[in-house]
Amino acid sequence: MAQTDPNYLAHGLYHPDIQAVVPVVGANPGGLRWANSYSVGNKCYCMPKATYGLGIADYPVETPRGWMTVKEACEMLGGDPKGPSGRPIYNDIQCGNGPPSWDPKELEHFCPGRVDIGKSGCGQIGPTWRFDEISTLPVPPPVSPKPPPPPSSQESFFQDIGAKDEKVQGILSGQTWTYQSSLSVVSKMDQKYLQTHRSGSKFSYVIRGFTPNKKYRVELGMAEVWEPNCERGKRIQKILIQNNLVMDNLDVYASAGCRKEFLAVFDGNQAIQATSSGTIKITMEAIVENAMLSTIKIEPASSNSPPPPPPPPPPPPSPPSPSASSTKIVIDAGSKDEKPILAQGQTWTFLSASNIKQGKTSLETSDRAMLRSHRSAPILTYIIPNLVPRAKYKIDLGFAEVWRPNCSNGMRIMDITVNGSTKKTELDVYSAAGGCETAYVESYSDISADSQGDLVIELTATKENAMVSYIEITSVSSDHVFIDAGSSDENTSLVSGITRAYGSPSKTTGIPVEFRTHRWGSNFTYTLDGFSSSETYFVSLGFSEIYSGSCADRMRRFRVKINGQTVESQLDVHRSVGCQKALIKTYEMKPNSQGKFEITFEAIANNAMVSYIEVKEK
């Protein structure tokens, strides 16, 4: 949460009670009028006449005595005998540590900290309440039980956590920030929810009003939309529910990719039981960078009702094949019932009653039919997933200017990028096609899918709206394989022998991401199938010595064989390139008579290892 300086007292910059300084928006505080707490040494107390803005008095907090409301906790803790006079005073109820009130008059999210020294004190955070001393205090009188909520009041719950104007329906504790991306997200839910998130080093939501002790399905929605973190190991977090660890070492990018929906669902045997007071507490805690969360959805667990009869057993899955078979994907972008793989923000479709002239193209009649309609927006982004990583594809984008107000030069202009690379600037479809209602196609060959197997196509308007009628993706490399061997989600059905994945992606940032992990073992073999036995291929193996215990010459040596032929008799990666450096070995080979490549790694000293394997046509 905070940027803590252990030498505050030595610097003499802050009051000795201050524990941390955090970046906040800041505001011009109202002094005592805003004060809800004060500090004495390492203890925080509520002000004798705290304002308890906007229902904060009834927010639940967890104590050694169980759940209490904020007001009950303040009354239990009491105050310092000398009172707040001359002590640092703070805007929120716990000396800047939350929970914050949403009262707009108190601006606690902008200025949670000190309110007695002007705007510079807004980010100065004091100590927390000392609940460890609560056992020495008298037991409070029993509180009259509140009537239970109506059965339907909290049987269903949804919270858009990242929205800037989000009004917390539960209690939010911990310093957090919101972030909103302007880029689109591949999502089954409305993408607007995943374009934003709330982040912090550790923060919790406590939601009340559920049926005591009943089990609920909890769904937490996330997407990695912060571009600097679109890399394995850049953001890692853990999830706790009811203070129990339910998910550890979660890397949303590694699990789903960049700008793609990830749902952490806890149901069935993992369903969450509400407390005896009907609360559910969700905590996000950072391991690397900040934790983040976009949505919370809670509903009765499937186990609360009789389970449906089991479905018939599915047919046995076909064995996985790493090779890229012939692929052709056609997206009729302008169709009203087309479900865009990704279309950023609000888009529109338009259908012309006119037939499309062939113009300079040689399109089939069916392709020209798709040109009668188009999808338009200031920015159109399509992500085509599940392709072969790094395989080559041909992209055809079909256009026709059918909106008659734009049927003149310079009325609609756009730029086109593919996987971040600019392919066309200042495209004027009317001018390029030579007229209105005339076909025009932009074609790009030898475009590689990224390391996640995605193609990202963006059309950005510089005048009027960008538009496209259809997108056609065709595989141009029939035999291409890329295996990220060290990835935790790598398909290990392709490898035989006892192996383990190892990696330090957050530490080895000076090399490409595919070299930051590896798979190791004493003797293991990858078997890759589906190649033409008469063709010659480039087989590339990537290595990097990222294990510090082997960062010396001769500490790790191993043999590499392809289809029984030794291609490396004593490979010593460190001796070849050094520590945490990329090494690529490429061989021209033919598959065996069954169209297979069997790539074997045999240890000589320490264990053999490999970071990635790539096979492509010569």
Side-chain angles (χ1 to χ4, degrees):
M1 178 187 82
Q3 300 170 349
T4 305
D5 184 346
N7 298 311
Y8 281 134
L9 297 180
H11 295 327
L13 298 176
Y14 304 100
H15 191 282
D17 290 4
I18 298 303
Q19 305 295 307
V21 176
V22 300
V24 294
V25 174
N28 292 317
L32 277 171
R33 291 185 297 106
W34 283 23
N36 287 295
S37 56
Y38 66 98
S39 62
V40 179
N42 65 345
K43 301 177 184 179
C44 179
Y45 298 102
C46 307
M47 292 290 284
K49 295 182 179 180
T51 59
Y52 298 121
L54 206 65
I56 193 71
D58 295 326
Y59 277 11
V61 291
E62 192 174 12
T63 79
R65 291 274 179 88
W67 290 95
M68 296 181 178
T69 67
V70 164
K71 186 175 182 180
E72 290 167 351
C74 287
E75 291 171 351
M76 175 74 74
L77 289 167
D80 184 76
K82 295 182 180 181
S85 179
R87 306 304 308 177
I89 57 176
Y90 305 84
N91 194 5
D92 80 22
I93 200 71
Q94 194 180 179
C95 298
N97 292 283
S101 165
W102 281 95
D103 192 330
K105 295 180 293 184
E106 298 187 2
L107 296 175
E108 290 186 10
H109 281 79
F110 295 89
C111 184
R114 292 186 66 177
V115 292
D116 55 333
I117 57 173
K119 187 174 181 179
S120 63
C122 287
Q124 295 186 29
I125 308 301
T128 59
W129 294 324
R130 291 297 299 273
F131 284 118
D132 56 325
E133 297 183 358
I134 204 168
S135 60
T136 65
L137 301 174
V139 178
V143 179
S144 299
K146 299 177 182 178
S152 61
S153 66
Q154 203 64 350
E155 292 301 282
S156 179
F157 174 90
F158 181 81
Q159 183 79 53
D160 180 8
I161 302 302
K164 288 185 178 180
D165 58 353
E166 175 230 2
K167 300 298 187 291
V168 181
Q169 300 175 43
I171 174 176
L172 167 64
S173 62
Q175 186 71 32
T176 64
W177 301 265
T178 59
Y179 172 76
Q180 180 169 4
S181 171
S182 61
L183 301 175
S184 296
V185 177
V186 179
S187 171
K188 292 181 180 178
M189 71 171 77
D190 190 330
Q191 64 170 332
K192 71 179 182 182
Y193 296 124
L194 297 180
Q195 287 176 309
T196 64
H197 64 231
R198 185 170 295 277
S199 65
S201 64
K202 184 177 181 180
F203 57 97
S204 299
Y205 277 84
V206 178
I207 304 104
R208 298 188 297 169
F210 298 104
T211 303
N213 301 315
K214 183 175 179 178
K215 288 191 174 182
Y216 289 85
R217 178 185 186 273
V218 176
E219 177 185 293
L220 306 179
M222 291 159 268
E224 188 52 80
V225 295
W226 176 239
E227 290 292 327
N229 285 345
C230 280
E231 195 171 302
R232 189 182 298 275
K234 285 291 190 177
R235 187 199 304 272
I236 303 175
Q237 58 192 0
K238 62 177 70 173
I239 303 173
L240 299 93
I241 303 183
Q242 309 294 52
N243 293 329
N244 296 315
L245 181 66
V246 294
M247 186 169 288
D248 200 6
N249 293 308
L250 170 61
D251 184 331
V252 173
Y253 170 81
S255 300
C258 195
R259 307 203 307 273
K260 295 182 181 179
E261 175 187 273
F262 175 81
L263 299 178
V265 178
F266 307 97
D267 195 11
N269 293 333
Q270 292 183 303
I272 304 302
Q273 182 172 332
T275 66
S276 58
S277 58
T279 61
I280 292 177
K281 179 183 180 183
I282 299 166
T283 301
M284 311 298 293
E285 184 174 342
I287 299 173
V288 176
E289 221 261 0
N290 279 312
M292 62 95 171
L293 181 63
S294 294
T295 63
I296 298 174
K297 182 179 180 181
I298 302 176
E299 56 192 10
S302 57
S303 57
N304 287 325
S305 55
S318 56
S321 173
S323 62
S325 58
S326 179
T327 299
K328 186 171 183 177
I329 299 170
V330 178
I331 301 171
D332 185 1
S335 170
K336 287 187 176 181
D337 57 357
E338 184 252 342
K339 301 298 186 293
I341 295 176
L342 180 62
Q344 175 164 331
Q346 181 69 45
T347 66
W348 302 268
T349 59
F350 176 75
L351 176 63
S352 169
S354 302
N355 291 322
I356 303 301
K357 299 184 284 290
Q358 186 159 303
K360 304 172 186 177
T361 69
S362 56
L363 294 177
E364 300 289 338
T365 303
S366 59
D367 290 338
R368 295 209 306 276
M370 287 191 289
L371 296 178
R372 291 178 56 198
S373 63
H374 65 229
R375 185 170 295 274
S376 65
I379 301 175
L380 282 171
T381 304
Y382 279 83
I383 297 182
I384 295 86
N386 304 321
L387 303 173
V388 178
R390 298 193 173 189
K392 299 287 188 181
Y393 294 88
K394 179 176 181 286
I395 299 176
D396 291 319
L397 306 179
F399 305 89
E401 188 53 82
V402 294
W403 177 240
R404 286 196 170 272
N406 285 344
C407 281
S408 60
N409 291 329
M411 295 302 293
R412 186 198 305 270
I413 301 174
M414 67 186 109
D415 297 336
I416 302 172
T417 65
V418 178
N419 284 357
S421 175
T422 299
K423 297 299 178 185
K424 187 75 172 181
T425 60
E426 302 292 307
L427 172 62
D428 180 337
V429 172
Y430 173 85
S431 175
C436 197
E437 298 166 351
T438 304
Y440 177 75
V441 178
E442 278 282 320
S443 295
Y444 311 117
S445 299
D446 291 336
I447 303 296
S448 297
D450 65 17
S451 60
Q452 298 292 316
D454 295 341
L455 282 175
V456 182
I457 302 170
E458 291 191 325
L459 302 97
T460 303
T462 59
K463 186 173 181 181
E464 224 266 359
N465 281 311
M467 65 90 169
V468 66
S469 294
Y470 72 79
I471 301 172
E472 188 171 283
I473 311 293
T474 308
S475 172
V476 296
S477 55
S478 59
D479 296 312
H480 183 275
V481 177
F482 180 84
I483 299 173
D484 185 0
S487 169
S488 58
D489 55 1
E490 182 248 335
N491 184 359
T492 55
S493 65
L494 305 174
V495 60
S496 59
I498 299 174
T499 64
R500 297 288 187 274
Y502 173 78
S504 52
S506 63
K507 297 179 181 179
T508 53
T509 56
I511 52 179
V513 64
E514 59 265 31
F515 291 95
R516 300 179 196 177
T517 60
H518 65 227
R519 183 162 296 278
W520 59 270
S522 61
N523 190 319
F524 59 97
T525 299
Y526 275 87
T527 301
L528 313 181
D529 201 353
F531 300 94
S532 170
S533 59
S534 61
E535 299 293 329
T536 301
Y537 296 84
F538 290 117
V539 180
S540 296
L541 308 177
F543 307 91
S544 180
E545 189 52 82
I546 56 176
Y547 178 55
S548 59
S550 297
C551 277
D553 290 356
R554 301 183 64 80
M555 290 298 294
R556 185 199 303 270
R557 289 173 289 133
F558 53 94
R559 186 178 297 109
V560 182
K561 297 179 179 179
I562 302 179
N563 288 346
Q565 177 184 342
T566 299
V567 293
E568 298 290 339
S569 59
Q570 284 202 58
L571 181 59
D572 184 336
V573 175
H574 183 273
R575 189 171 185 177
S576 299
V577 293
C579 195
Q580 296 184 6
K581 300 290 181 63
L583 174 65
I584 302 173
K585 293 282 188 175
T586 300
Y587 317 95
E588 289 189 30
M589 307 286 294
K590 285 188 175 183
N592 62 22
S593 57
Q594 287 82 41
K596 297 180 180 180
F597 283 106
E598 295 180 347
I599 306 171
T600 302
F601 303 86
E602 299 175 350
I604 299 173
N606 202 326
N607 283 295
M609 61 89 171
V610 64
S611 294
Y612 77 76
I613 299 171
E614 183 174 29
V615 180
K616 58 185 178 181
E617 288 179 304
K618 182 179 176 181

